[in-house]
Amino acid sequence: MLINPPHTPHLPGLQASGLPAQQLVWISAATPQQQLWATEQAIKSNAAAAVMAWLPQARPEQLRRLQSHAQASDAPVFIFRPLSAAGQSSAAPLRVL
């Protein structure tokens, strides 16, 4: 599940990697609140093989809330934030630059 990706997913590339197009869910939320809500619901539903969300404006307390839901999920959750957020606190068990 892709939430708010910055670019259109390249379906031929994903299909070549073994991901059928019908298994891809792409959510484009208009506001930061909608992006956060969609991410939280995706994690809590535990219905996706993986959740990848681009949340450029997420605050640390919002990330902590997502982290607590992610710990109860079977799917891996990846939150992408801008480089400018590298100095902010985060509840993420792993941060990759």
Side-chain angles (χ1 to χ4, degrees):
M1 182 173 291
L2 304 176
I3 301 170
N4 200 41
H7 304 287
T8 302
H10 186 254
L11 288 179
L14 293 171
Q15 288 175 325
S17 297
L19 178 68
Q22 54 272 44
Q23 289 186 337
L24 177 67
V25 176
W26 173 20
I27 298 172
S28 182
T31 67
Q33 293 83 10
Q34 291 173 345
Q35 296 163 8
L36 189 65
W37 182 85
T39 303
E40 185 172 341
Q41 296 307 308
I43 295 169
K44 287 169 59 176
S45 72
N46 209 17
V51 176
M52 300 172 70
W54 285 258
L55 302 175
Q57 299 174 353
R59 296 186 314 268
E61 65 273 11
Q62 294 168 328
L63 294 172
R64 281 192 295 278
R65 181 178 172 95
L66 293 176
Q67 173 62 22
S68 69
H69 291 305
Q71 288 177 328
S73 175
D74 293 333
V77 177
F78 302 93
I79 304 295
F80 299 95
R81 300 177 66 211
L83 185 57
S84 60
Q88 296 176 0
S89 65
S90 173
L94 176 65
R95 293 177 73 165
V96 179
L97 177 64

